[in-house]
């Protein structure tokens, strides 16, 4: 009969239990045993949710204390030597690779100072993975740091729950990695012959433990792959299948058709395809499956909208007609990692809007209902309720705003072009600001202290008045501005103490958004976000940031940056609508932000940063028309938001944690851009941006790590950049905003950074 399957479940806990315990461990408030036990508790809860709902194929090894790709690096001993010198426990090695580690020596422990590995976006999602780093000395071994997939399978089995372990496949694992800076001539995929025996050893141990089937993810099959990569699949899976386990090769996030030749005839038990993101691939992928299992990814693992049962059941029925009931699995399109845990925890959402949503726990129920329907069981009541919900959303006035739709017609080339080219603007800006060489700034936010969070919570609950809260925010701004002046920063920020999140803060002030109380999703490590939900056409009823920016400028003579989040990032870091194009949603946001940019300029804020860290994340995974169209409308959205200002107003933007192409950001025509750079150890990356025509800052320290770079480290880093970069175009700044760091780290790091900039001013 048709079976139900979940590809992965959120690991964070319904009340962010994983974050709280992990950060308590990092801060020395709980011991390792407490952390490990919390992991067991969360895994048990997740398995039980799925079993009680009636899911037949439940995943294991989808849990991680930090990142599932990093877990695999530890499992296979892909651990650079610098992390092995300090006699750390396996979990501390994991955390050191993920976030760096710096601590002073004590009577019983030696000093530790190691940087984190590079972290980049997981395909086109807002999840970040820690990139495996290989060298000529990489020695693949299994079991040196434990056998996590085996242990977690046995853990579930002991609770009476049979699971299907999840593994990232060997080709994707190597392809998504990089060569260490000392082994840049190494092609990671050349290590496949050394890695395969370790994978086979792992599969053998899983088989010995009682496993019969393994979900093995090869997500790179939705990318543009060269023939040299595609040709690896047959021999690789001939090897892996020889262990005797049923391997279900899993793809998601896109269209597999251009790589069908790589997987046609593979010696695996079955295939999984994502028919939410790419329903049009059905006929062609079905042709290569043969008599194997056909897993239909039909419940969206990337968004919060209810599945349309009528449309989903059509695809499931089509699969059953072709393959038969015993070969079809009804599944989530991808892991549910990218969705919040449970809609039932939302007590404040408008009932009408809430009825349109489905979080991970509800998606599990949807999978089971669709499976029951495919088996011929009576779920007519559930289908009727689903149809009513879909109809309600389609016809709602919340969704449709004729004024916003009409305003989109105003967008033309003139609206998205600055008045003068950059050289003319630069001359005007140099006269106005008279900045020194190597001007220093930060990306925007300063530490979000406990005091800030407590007062924000009091204001939200009505325990303090708006006036009291405004006074508190002003005092926080005073502190941040005074600190920046003391250490000698050149272009200041107000620190954003009033903001909860760089997208949520704006969404809360725009029409067309809805918000959750507990809709948390993991972004990386212990960093969780609560994405706003775009439920309708977007507009700005009033100014959003002018008050705080004007106050901050009033207490300093130095330039004060107005801080905004760009249209593409507001879109990508929200749960977007699935009923209109992302282009239309982005342009709606650009018009709202244009109004804000213009209001800031009118109020005297003439350095304005419009961040677009999600620009690269939104890039379609394959080259072609869809990608070129995206680059055009994404750049147009930014320019619409920023082009209504005078030449002397300086527009900044920021990008982080992506493999950027200079041409992508060149099209934005920002006056100054800042780019995450501290974890990039390929000298070619500097060279790629050396011809960028406008001004640029390559981020000099990793704000996601608690370690503090010395002045000498900053000087060395800037010196490397200056070998290929023009000093009169270079800005000095961190990688990203500082909200996740503590004040002691921020004070020392920024002071060292500014001192390094002053050192170079003396050299030029």
């Amino acid at each position: 009969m048709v079976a139900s399957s979940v590809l992965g479940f959120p690991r964070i806990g319904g009340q962010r239990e994983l974050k709280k315990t992990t950060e308590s461990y990092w801060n020395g408030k709980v011991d390792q045993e407490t952390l490990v036990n919390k992991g067991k508790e969360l895994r048990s809860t997740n398995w039980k949710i799925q079993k009680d709902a009636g899911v037949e194929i439940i995943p294991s090894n989808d849990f991680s204390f930090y990142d599932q790709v990093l877990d695999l690096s530890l499992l296979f001993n892909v651990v650079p030597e610098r992390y092995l010198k300090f006699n750390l426990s396996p979990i501390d090695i994991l955390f050191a690779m993920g976030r760096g580690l710096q601590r002073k020596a004590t009577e019983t422990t030696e000093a530790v100072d190691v940087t984190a590995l590079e972290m980049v976006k997981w395909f086109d999602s807002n999840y970040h993975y820690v990139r495996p780093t290989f060298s000529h000395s990489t020695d693949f071994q299994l079991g040196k740091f434990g056998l996590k997939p085996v242990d977690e399978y046995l853990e579930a089995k002991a609770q009476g729950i049979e699971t299907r372990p999840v593994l990232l496949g060997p080709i994707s694992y190597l392809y998504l990695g990089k060569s260490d800076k000392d082994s840049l001539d190494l092609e990671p995929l050349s290590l496949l012959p050394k890695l395969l025996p370790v994978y086979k050893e792992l599969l053998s141990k899983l088989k010995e433990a009682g496993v019969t089937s393994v979900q093995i993810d090869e997500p790179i099959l939705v990318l543009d792959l060269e023939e040299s990569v595609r040709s690896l699949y047959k021999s690789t899976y001939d090897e892996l299948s020889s262990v005797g386990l049923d391997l279900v090769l899993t793809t998601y996030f896109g269209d597999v058709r251009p790589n069908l030749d790589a997987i046609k005839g593979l010696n695996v038990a079955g295939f999984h395809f994502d028919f939410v993101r790419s329903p049009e691939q059905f006929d062609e992928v079905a042709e290569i499956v043969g008599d194997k299992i056909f897993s239909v990814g039909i419940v969206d693992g990337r968004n919060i909208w209810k599945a349309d049962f009528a449309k989903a059941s059509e695809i499931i029925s089509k699969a059953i007609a072709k393959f038969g009931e015993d070969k079809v699995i009804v599944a989530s399109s991808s892991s549910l990692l990218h969705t919040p845990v449970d809609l039932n925890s939302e007590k404040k959402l408008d009932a009408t809007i809430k009825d349109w949503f489905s979080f991970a726990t509800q998606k599990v129920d949807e999978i089971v209902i669709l499976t029951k329907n495919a088996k011929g069981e009576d779920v007519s009541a559930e289908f009727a309720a689903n149809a009513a919900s879909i109809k309600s959303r389609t016809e709602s006035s919340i969704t449709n705003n004729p004024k916003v739709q009409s305003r989109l017609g105003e967008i033309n080339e003139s609206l998205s072009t600055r008045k003068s080219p950059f050289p003319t603007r630069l001359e005007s800006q140099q006269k106005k600001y008279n900045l020194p060489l190597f001007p220093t700034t930060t990306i925007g936010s300063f530490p979000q202290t406990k005091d800030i969070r407590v007062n924000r919570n009091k204001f939200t609950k009505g325990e303090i008045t708006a006036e009291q809260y405004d006074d508190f925010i002003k005092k926080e701004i005073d502190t941040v501005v005074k600190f920046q002046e003391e250490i000698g920063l050149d272009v200041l920020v107000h620190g954003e103490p009033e903001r909860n999140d760089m997208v949520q803060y704006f969404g809360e002030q725009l029409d067309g958004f809805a918000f959750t109380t507990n809709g948390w999703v993991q972004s990386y490590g212990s960093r969780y976000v609560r994405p706003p939900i775009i439920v309708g056409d977007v507009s700005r009823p009033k100014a959003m940031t002018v008050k705080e920016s004007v106050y901050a400028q009033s207490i300093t003579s130095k330039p004060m940056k107005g801080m905004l989040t760009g249209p593409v990032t507001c879109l990508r870091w929200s749960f977007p609508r699935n009923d209109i194009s992302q282009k239309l949603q982005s342009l709606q946001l650009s018009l709202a932000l244009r109004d804000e940019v213009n209001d800031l300029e009118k109020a005297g804020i003439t350095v304005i940063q419009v961040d677009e860290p999600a620009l690269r994340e939104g890039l379609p995974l394959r080259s072609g028309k869809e990608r070129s169209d995206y680059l055009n409308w994404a750049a147009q959205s930014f320019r619409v938001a920023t082009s209504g200002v005078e030449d002397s107003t300086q527009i900044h933007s920021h990008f982080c944690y992506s493999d950027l192409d200079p041409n992508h950001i060149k099209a934005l025509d920002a006056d100054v851009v800042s780019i995450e750079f501290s974890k990039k150890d390929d000298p070619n990356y500097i060279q790629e941006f050396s011809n960028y025509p406008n001004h640029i800052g390559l981020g000099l320290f990793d704000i996601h790590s608690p370690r503090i770079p010395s002045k000498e480290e900053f000087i060395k880093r800037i010196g490397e950049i200056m070998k290929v970069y023009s000093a009169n175009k270079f800005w000095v700044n961190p990688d990203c905003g500082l909200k996740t760091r503590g004040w002691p780290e921020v004070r020392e790091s920024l002071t060292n950074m500014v001192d390094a900039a002053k050192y170079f001013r003396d050299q030029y």
Side-chain angles (χ1 to χ4, degrees):
M1 297 293 286
V2 179
S4 54
S5 169
V6 173
L7 269 58
F9 198 80
R11 58 184 69 129
I12 64 177
Q15 300 298 320
R16 295 182 292 162
E17 294 93 330
L18 183 60
K19 172 186 178 69
K20 294 167 186 174
T21 308
T22 302
E23 292 182 350
S24 292
Y25 175 69
W26 291 340
N27 295 329
K29 295 178 181 178
V30 302
D31 59 16
Q32 192 169 121
E33 182 180 6
T34 301
L35 177 63
V36 169
N37 286 337
K38 180 56 68 176
K40 290 181 179 178
E41 177 188 318
L42 291 169
R43 290 192 293 272
S44 178
T45 298
N46 291 348
W47 292 326
K48 190 173 186 300
I49 287 171
Q50 294 168 81
K51 183 179 181 181
D52 289 350
V55 174
E56 291 145 317
I57 303 173
I58 298 171
S60 59
N61 197 44
D62 56 338
F63 177 86
S64 176
F65 283 110
Y66 204 90
D67 164 51
Q68 70 272 10
V69 183
L70 183 59
D71 286 342
L72 209 57
S73 294
L74 192 68
L75 179 70
F76 291 149
N77 192 40
V78 184
V79 181
E81 181 63 30
R82 63 183 181 270
Y83 300 104
L84 300 175
K85 299 186 295 185
F86 305 106
N87 196 32
L88 300 173
S89 67
I91 199 166
D92 287 334
I93 293 174
L94 182 88
F95 289 144
M97 290 196 293
R99 62 193 295 267
L101 182 62
Q102 186 179 55
R103 69 185 184 200
K104 296 178 180 179
T106 68
E107 292 182 359
T108 57
T109 60
E110 61 182 318
V112 180
D113 188 4
V114 287
T115 58
L117 294 177
E118 184 179 4
M119 184 170 68
V120 289
K121 294 293 178 69
W122 181 246
F123 295 82
D124 60 349
S125 77
N126 188 31
Y127 179 78
H128 304 65
Y129 77 98
V130 179
R131 180 171 275 173
T133 302
F134 306 104
S135 71
H136 291 295
S137 61
T138 295
D139 178 22
F140 298 111
Q141 294 182 42
L142 182 69
K144 184 175 179 181
F145 301 107
L147 287 170
K148 180 180 181 291
V150 177
D151 293 341
E152 293 183 9
Y153 169 78
L154 291 173
E155 191 180 306
K157 195 170 186 178
Q159 298 172 34
I161 300 175
E162 183 64 29
T163 62
R164 183 176 68 180
V166 179
L167 294 174
L168 179 63
I171 300 174
S172 288
Y173 175 67
L174 291 172
Y175 187 92
L176 294 169
K178 60 179 281 189
S179 299
D180 208 349
K181 59 183 178 181
D182 298 324
S183 302
L184 292 177
D185 61 328
L186 175 68
E187 169 52 53
L189 278 168
S190 70
L191 298 173
L192 186 59
K194 294 182 179 180
L195 178 59
L196 276 180
V198 183
Y199 260 89
K200 288 179 66 177
E201 184 183 356
L202 173 60
L203 292 175
S204 296
K205 289 188 178 298
L206 287 168
K207 185 178 180 182
E208 291 169 10
V211 171
T212 58
S213 178
V214 174
Q215 173 187 320
I216 191 156
D217 293 357
E218 288 286 1
I220 66 165
L221 285 163
V222 302
L223 304 177
D224 291 321
L225 299 180
E226 297 177 353
E227 175 57 29
S228 60
V229 181
R230 294 197 298 268
S231 65
L232 297 172
Y233 276 89
K234 185 179 187 309
S235 59
T236 295
Y237 281 86
D238 281 347
E239 278 278 303
L240 296 182
S241 63
S242 68
V243 175
L245 286 174
D246 287 344
L247 304 180
V248 177
L249 187 138
T250 305
T251 67
Y252 40 78
F253 295 170
D255 189 346
V256 185
R257 286 177 295 178
N259 293 318
L260 278 184
D261 61 325
I263 60 174
K264 184 178 181 179
L266 277 195
N267 193 5
V268 294
F271 297 91
H272 171 90
F273 301 103
D274 183 344
F275 296 118
V276 174
R277 290 290 289 270
S278 186
E280 65 277 5
Q281 67 180 325
F282 184 96
D283 290 337
E284 289 177 62
V285 299
E287 286 305 313
I288 64 101
V289 173
D291 61 352
K292 302 181 189 301
I293 292 167
F294 190 68
S295 177
V296 181
I298 201 61
V299 171
D300 195 347
R302 289 278 299 272
N303 212 329
I304 49 70
W305 302 105
K306 276 185 176 176
D308 185 329
F309 284 177
K311 291 181 179 178
S313 60
E314 286 180 8
I315 295 178
I316 296 166
S317 296
K318 190 176 178 181
I320 293 171
K322 184 169 183 63
F323 297 102
E325 291 182 342
D326 61 335
K327 294 293 185 181
V328 173
I329 296 174
V330 177
S332 55
S333 64
S334 65
S335 170
L336 300 178
L337 169 70
H338 311 283
T339 61
V341 177
D342 190 356
L343 184 61
N344 289 328
S345 66
E346 299 301 323
K347 308 300 182 184
K348 298 181 179 180
L349 271 173
D350 175 88
T352 299
I353 294 174
K354 183 177 179 179
D355 185 56
W356 303 341
F357 300 158
S358 176
F359 292 178
T361 302
Q362 288 68 45
K363 289 177 184 294
V364 168
D365 292 334
E366 289 181 328
I367 292 166
V368 172
I369 291 168
L370 287 166
T371 305
K372 287 180 177 179
N373 181 68
K375 291 178 179 179
E377 298 181 28
D378 183 11
V379 287
S380 55
E382 290 87 343
F383 265 60
N386 178 266
S389 180
I390 300 297
K391 185 173 185 289
S392 165
R393 179 183 168 210
T394 302
E395 297 177 352
S396 173
S397 60
I398 298 171
T399 302
N400 301 289
N401 184 330
K403 290 183 179 179
V404 174
Q405 295 166 11
S406 174
R407 193 180 177 195
L408 287 172
E410 300 174 8
I411 295 177
N412 54 29
E413 188 63 29
S414 174
L415 203 71
S416 55
T417 306
R418 291 288 296 268
K419 295 178 179 178
S420 303
F422 175 71
T424 303
R425 303 198 307 263
L426 177 62
E427 183 179 356
S428 178
Q429 291 163 19
Q430 286 176 329
K431 289 179 181 177
K432 183 169 186 174
Y433 304 114
N434 193 31
L435 296 173
L437 277 178
F438 302 96
T440 56
T441 190
T442 69
I443 304 306
S445 60
F446 267 74
Q448 288 268 319
T449 63
K450 181 179 179 180
D451 200 24
I452 290 174
R453 294 192 296 271
V454 166
N455 276 273
R456 182 184 299 138
N457 193 39
K458 285 182 177 179
F459 176 59
T460 301
K461 292 180 177 180
E463 296 174 5
I464 59 176
T465 66
E467 185 179 2
Q468 288 172 316
Y469 185 61
D470 284 347
D471 288 343
F472 170 79
I473 293 300
K474 286 181 179 179
K475 289 177 182 176
E476 290 295 319
I477 294 173
D478 290 342
T479 299
V480 168
V481 172
K482 182 180 179 182
F483 165 72
Q484 293 174 90
E485 289 183 323
E486 286 175 350
I487 65 170
L489 280 165
D490 300 302
V491 177
L492 311 188
V493 298
H494 78 282
E496 306 176 15
E498 78 286 2
R499 303 187 188 184
N500 42 22
D501 176 82
M502 65 181 292
V503 175
Q504 180 183 348
Y505 178 76
F506 292 98
E508 287 174 342
Q509 301 182 76
L510 294 168
D511 289 340
F513 280 83
F515 298 89
T516 64
T517 304
N518 292 297
W520 299 98
V521 177
Q522 185 180 29
S523 179
Y524 64 87
S526 70
R527 168 68 170 154
Y528 303 167
V529 294
R530 198 155 37 107
I533 302 168
I534 304 179
V535 296
D537 293 328
V538 175
S539 60
R540 187 198 76 146
K542 61 181 181 180
M544 302 179 286
T545 67
V546 174
K547 179 176 68 174
E548 290 80 12
S549 296
V550 167
Y551 175 74
Q553 184 65 82
S554 74
I555 59 174
T556 182
S557 59
K558 291 191 172 185
M560 175 63 60
K561 281 197 288 192
M563 302 298 305
L564 304 175
T565 302
V568 175
T569 300
C570 283
L571 171 67
R572 296 293 307 182
W573 290 3
S574 301
F575 288 117
R577 294 168 64 176
N578 60 1
D579 59 336
I580 66 171
S581 72
Q582 294 207 5
K583 174 183 178 179
L584 287 178
Q585 293 174 76
S586 182
L587 290 173
Q588 288 179 7
L589 284 159
S590 73
L591 289 169
L593 289 166
R594 180 184 181 89
D595 295 341
E596 186 72 13
V597 168
N598 292 347
D599 280 353
L600 282 167
E601 184 185 54
K602 289 174 187 174
I605 306 300
T606 58
V607 180
I608 303 171
Q609 183 171 309
V610 182
D611 289 342
E612 283 290 22
L615 181 74
R616 173 62 178 80
E617 171 192 315
L619 189 71
L621 296 173
R622 280 217 165 83
S623 57
K625 185 176 186 302
E626 185 183 3
R627 182 177 287 186
S628 60
D629 286 349
Y630 166 79
L631 289 170
N632 287 335
W633 65 251
Q636 181 188 29
S637 296
F638 181 89
R639 296 196 309 271
V640 166
T642 58
S643 293
V645 296
E646 300 298 325
D647 288 349
S648 59
T649 293
Q650 190 174 74
I651 298 294
H652 289 233
S653 192
H654 170 68
F655 315 88
C656 59
Y657 293 93
S658 294
D659 292 321
L660 287 161
D661 182 328
N663 292 318
H664 297 165
I665 60 173
K666 183 178 178 181
L668 306 185
D669 196 27
D671 299 307
V672 183
V673 297
S674 56
I675 297 173
E676 176 268 322
F677 180 69
S678 69
K679 294 183 181 180
K680 303 291 186 186
D681 46 24
D682 182 351
N684 294 325
Y685 197 72
I686 304 175
Q687 190 67 51
E688 286 178 17
F689 284 91
S690 63
N691 294 320
Y692 181 72
N694 301 4
H695 283 199
I696 192 169
L698 301 180
L700 296 173
F701 72 93
D702 178 14
I703 63 85
H704 297 93
S705 171
R707 72 178 298 274
I708 299 168
S710 65
K711 174 184 173 181
E712 291 70 27
E713 187 175 330
F714 280 115
I715 289 173
K716 180 180 178 182
R717 195 69 163 158
I718 296 172
E720 292 170 351
I721 295 168
M722 286 302 101
K723 292 176 183 177
V724 296
Y725 212 80
S726 172
N728 62 5
K729 296 199 300 181
F730 186 69
W731 285 62
V732 175
N733 50 258
D735 263 359
C736 199
L738 301 164
K739 67 180 294 184
T740 61
R741 299 272 54 89
W743 266 106
E745 303 159 26
V746 167
R747 285 191 184 95
E748 192 170 348
S749 296
L750 286 182
T751 299
N752 292 342
M753 185 190 81
V754 171
D755 287 347
K758 292 175 180 176
Y759 168 86
F760 276 94
R761 286 171 195 162
D762 292 339
Q763 308 301 308
Y764 281 81

